[in-house]
Amino acid sequence: MTDDAQGLLTKIAMETSLRYALQMITAASLVCSKRKGTEVDVQDVKAVYQLFVDVKRSTQFLLEHQNEFMFSEVGAYLFHA
């Protein structure tokens, strides 16, 4: 793993969780193998980061798009009835 990739993973671990960053290492290694690379680079980590969402980004997405999900109006009806 390159130093830059390690630095990026460290930053991601501090902003999300150590578990998420550790899982990214395995996935980034697979991406590196797929492109026939010899060591994980920043581009591999970035590719994995775009594919797999952490809890914070997942929650943000759900809050931004909650009205677009099926049955979003049912919850409003139940609470106002």
Side-chain angles (χ1 to χ4, degrees):
M1 179 179 297
T2 65
D3 290 339
D4 291 340
Q6 186 177 3
L8 180 57
L9 278 168
T10 301
K11 181 180 176 183
I12 290 170
M14 292 184 339
E15 292 177 1
T16 58
S17 69
L18 183 58
R19 173 184 278 181
Y20 178 72
L22 288 172
Q23 291 172 342
M24 285 187 66
I25 291 172
T26 303
S29 177
L30 293 171
V31 169
C32 178
S33 296
K34 179 79 173 172
R35 69 173 177 82
K36 302 200 184 339
T38 56
E39 64 181 341
V40 174
D41 199 0
V42 172
Q43 67 183 7
D44 303 318
V45 176
K46 286 182 177 182
V48 171
Y49 186 78
Q50 291 177 346
L51 290 173
F52 299 100
V53 183
D54 61 280
V55 173
K56 183 178 178 181
R57 290 187 295 155
S58 177
T59 303
Q60 181 181 354
F61 177 83
L62 288 173
L63 289 174
E64 289 174 2
H65 299 282
Q66 64 185 344
N67 293 332
E68 299 171 25
F69 293 111
M70 186 183 289
F71 303 117
S72 63
E73 63 278 351
V74 172
Y77 174 76
L78 291 175
F79 290 117
H80 291 101

